[in-house]
Amino acid sequence: MLVLYEHPLSPYAQKVKIALREKGLEFEVRMPEGIGAGHTKGEFADANPRREVPALIDDGVALFDSTVILEYIDDKWPDPSLMPNVPEERARMRQIEDVMDTHFEAITWGLGELHFFKRGDEALRKTIETHAGRQVAGFMAWLEGELGDNHWFSGHEFGRGDLSVIPYLNAADAFGFRPAEGSPLAAWIGRANARDSVSKTDAESRASIAGMQMVSAAVESGLFKRQYRDHRLEWMIKSGGMEIVRDGLEKQTIRFTDHWDT
């Protein structure tokens, strides 16, 4: 049995769950014990020294980083393939994934800081949200260009590019940011969410949102620490949220994960 350590709200974990479901693979999901508190131990911590989800355990093989895990899944279970056969198209799928993982993710993460954890005052939240809205619109225009006249980002078949985009656009939708009704990108979102692999994964994510409201008090007290990857920190500061970062450091509610967490 494959074991996937995850959090339902993590788009990185969602990518992996969608891929496993597209392949028809059975897997068990586990939430790492102590996640967010800075003291995870056991199999999950051994699999990923950075203490970040996802981590995949496959009969003694322990992997971390969603992109590495996706490559492993497609290598070990090649049918159906989630990547195009043409080299330049394979590279384009990886580019799309990288943009979503390292640029778009920072925006939805920042919006979570404002909505779930009530960071900053009302004026600051409005400033950051305005900045986020402009960026989201820009990325959606770019994605629409990448989609072109294709049914899927990967061409005629749902694949790596699609599962790398849909978790992030669903997250943006939860914060009120979505493409124009009737646009090609909006139609693509409808097609993607109609797939069993995506709809089940998204339902798990949305079911966990209510619980995040309860975590805000733990974050405020310093019991639950928010993980700032380097791209998240850069985005928050550039968006005017330096005050949020300073406040988190003073209360020790922020952890940085650009180095091994041992």
Side-chain angles (χ1 to χ4, degrees), residues 17 38 216:
K17 288 197 290 186
S216 59

Side-chain angles (χ1 to χ4, degrees), residues 50-63:
R50 292 186 68 169
R51 272 59 164 183
E52 293 177 341
V53 293
L56 184 73
I57 311 296
D58 176 26
D59 193 24
V61 176
L63 300 169

Side-chain angles (χ1 to χ4, degrees), residues 66-158:
S66 61
T67 300
V68 173
I69 293 171
L70 289 176
E71 297 282 354
Y72 175 79
I73 291 170
D74 227 11
D75 285 344
K76 185 166 182 180
W77 297 280
D79 187 30
S81 176
L82 295 174
M83 287 287 275
N85 292 324
V86 182
E88 54 266 34
E89 283 300 301
R90 294 170 71 88
R92 192 170 68 85
M93 294 307 101
R94 292 185 175 108
Q95 283 183 162
I96 290 173
E97 181 180 13
D98 185 69
V99 167
M100 301 307 289
D101 283 354
T102 63
H103 294 281
F104 203 99
E105 194 271 349
I107 303 172
T108 52
W109 174 271
L111 291 169
E113 292 288 86
L114 306 183
H115 288 266
F116 296 148
F117 304 109
K118 310 302 181 186
R119 298 284 201 182
D121 58 26
E122 185 177 349
L124 181 55
R125 287 198 292 270
K126 185 176 181 180
T127 296
I128 295 174
E129 204 157 37
T130 298
H131 180 84
R134 286 196 301 267
Q135 283 204 338
V136 167
F139 280 117
M140 285 185 176
W142 177 77
L143 285 169
E144 201 151 273
E146 289 295 313
L147 181 63
D149 296 328
N150 292 325
H151 202 66
W152 303 110
F153 282 98
S154 301
H156 297 295
E157 302 291 337
F158 180 92

Side-chain angles (χ1 to χ4, degrees), residues 38-53:
H39 53 68
T40 51
K41 297 179 181 179
E43 184 181 54
F44 168 69
D46 291 340
N48 188 356
R50 292 186 68 169
R51 272 59 164 183
E52 293 177 341
V53 293

Side-chain angles (χ1 to χ4, degrees), residues 214-255:
M214 301 169 59
V215 177
S216 59
V219 172
E220 185 67 19
S221 67
L223 296 176
F224 189 94
K225 296 175 174 59
R226 306 293 285 140
Q227 288 186 321
Y228 270 23
R229 291 185 175 196
D230 49 1
H231 66 283
R232 294 170 179 165
L233 177 64
E234 179 183 7
W235 185 86
M236 183 62 77
I237 292 174
K238 285 184 175 181
S239 301
M242 188 65 197
E243 176 185 323
I244 291 175
V245 176
R246 277 198 303 265
D247 180 65
L249 288 172
E250 289 171 1
K251 295 176 180 175
Q252 294 299 300
T253 62
I254 290 177
R255 296 174 63 230

